[in-house]
Amino acid sequence: MVRMIAKIEERKKAIALRKEGRSLRDIVKVVPVAKSTLSVWLKQVHLSKPQRQRLTQKKREAQLRGALRRRTDRIASTEIIYQEAAKDIGEVSKRELWLMGVMLYWAEGAKQKEHNVASGVRFSNSDPVMIRVFLRWLDEICRIQFDQVRLDVYIHETAKKTKQEIFHHWSKKIGVPIGSFQGLYYKKGNIKTKRKNIGEDYFGLVSLKVYRSTIMNRRITGWVKGIEQYYWGMV
């Protein structure tokens, strides 16, 4: 009997709170019963339009808070993964740097063609870190002096930036004197890319050319073929 009376009182309390426009989440904090039970008790309680709007707004705000919390947690956990993974690299040996450069060129460099085996070394990319690694590779592995390298920038004509702004950006990003850049070339037509950095963060890409480097390009091709032979016997 006591338990039944308590249930009746809980039901009355839940209905009263609902009529005030309180959410199920709020009510269950005061009336500790299952949400399924609350739903049955409150089924016949009709809320006014302002009350429904307020509950909808509270629900939306709670969803946004939850999404922000999950995003914050995801960013924090991702950063921990980055830091732990970065420790796996440690120091890079000369041989490792050599292989890194070969793989970079294999992916992004200008290749020797059967109909034109006289092409020199040319490397283009919009990632400043990748360019810095490649410049270091040229210096430490290939013994290429910086004055043997030409730097140009290719950018879409829709970019509303001055030549000085573009060269200053790349000079700072890849750590070379601003006077190292020689040509600025504009690409025509619509930008067809899924990249996000096509607004204020868009500064085109850097094209790096090594003078008198036909023999060097052939040697790089040989290194790539060596990798192919080691793994797949494709030579």
Side-chain angles (χ1 to χ4, degrees):
M1 179 65 73
V2 174
R3 182 57 184 162
M4 183 181 296
I5 294 174
K7 278 291 182 183
I8 294 173
E9 292 301 318
E10 287 177 338
R11 184 173 182 273
K12 289 181 179 180
K13 181 66 174 178
I15 291 174
L17 291 172
R18 187 60 168 175
K19 287 181 177 179
E20 293 176 7
R22 304 284 286 275
S23 67
L24 294 183
R25 183 189 294 271
D26 290 338
I27 295 173
V28 81
K29 292 177 182 177
V30 180
V31 183
V33 298
K35 282 190 176 181
S36 58
T37 301
L38 277 181
S39 296
V40 173
W41 287 353
L42 307 177
K43 188 175 182 180
Q44 303 302 319
V45 179
H46 298 289
L47 302 176
S48 65
K49 184 176 180 180
Q51 287 177 325
R52 293 197 303 272
Q53 291 175 333
R54 187 174 69 86
L55 288 176
T56 299
Q57 181 62 26
K58 286 186 65 175
K59 182 178 180 180
R60 185 179 297 113
E61 290 173 353
Q63 290 172 338
L64 291 174
R65 286 194 300 271
L68 179 60
R69 183 170 57 253
R70 289 191 297 274
R71 182 176 183 274
T72 301
D73 291 344
R74 185 170 64 251
I75 291 173
S77 63
T78 299
E79 185 59 32
I80 292 173
I81 293 172
Y82 287 164
Q83 293 175 3
E84 291 300 315
K87 295 176 184 177
D88 295 337
I89 300 300
E91 293 187 13
V92 176
S93 68
K94 188 171 183 178
R95 176 175 174 78
E96 288 168 340
L97 177 60
W98 167 55
L99 288 172
M100 286 164 57
V102 174
M103 297 302 290
L104 278 179
Y105 198 81
W106 191 4
E108 301 291 341
K111 314 302 190 295
Q112 293 273 353
K113 307 293 184 182
E114 290 186 8
H115 61 275
N116 180 19
V117 294
S119 58
V121 171
R122 193 181 188 99
F123 182 85
S124 302
N125 210 272
S126 60
D127 185 334
V129 177
M130 192 177 292
I131 297 170
R132 293 183 76 144
V133 171
F134 191 75
L135 283 171
R136 183 168 179 177
W137 181 75
L138 288 176
D139 177 39
E140 296 187 15
I141 302 300
C142 303
R143 301 302 180 188
I144 298 296
Q145 301 298 317
F146 191 65
D147 59 7
Q148 296 175 258
V149 177
R150 175 189 173 108
L151 296 177
D152 297 308
V153 177
Y154 288 78
I155 192 167
H156 199 273
E157 62 181 356
T158 58
K160 306 300 182 183
K161 296 179 177 68
T162 66
K163 181 177 181 179
Q164 186 69 13
E165 286 178 313
I166 295 168
F167 284 177
H168 177 77
H169 168 84
W170 282 112
S171 170
K172 183 178 179 180
K173 286 291 185 180
I174 65 178
V176 300
I178 196 169
S180 303
F181 296 94
Q182 298 187 40
L184 177 62
Y185 301 94
Y186 289 95
K187 297 183 285 185
K188 299 183 182 298
N190 296 325
I191 298 179
K192 294 181 180 180
T193 178
K194 294 182 180 180
R195 291 186 294 105
K196 302 298 183 181
N197 61 332
I198 58 176
E200 289 300 314
D201 295 331
Y202 174 65
F203 285 88
L205 62 82
V206 170
S207 177
L208 184 158
K209 178 181 179 181
V210 180
Y211 294 116
R212 298 177 294 279
S213 56
T214 300
I215 299 300
M216 179 182 169
N217 203 353
R218 292 172 184 167
R219 179 175 288 273
I220 295 173
T221 300
W223 289 338
V224 170
K225 287 184 179 296
I227 295 173
E228 292 174 345
Q229 185 179 43
Y230 184 83
Y231 282 102
W232 298 287
M234 294 172 61
V235 176

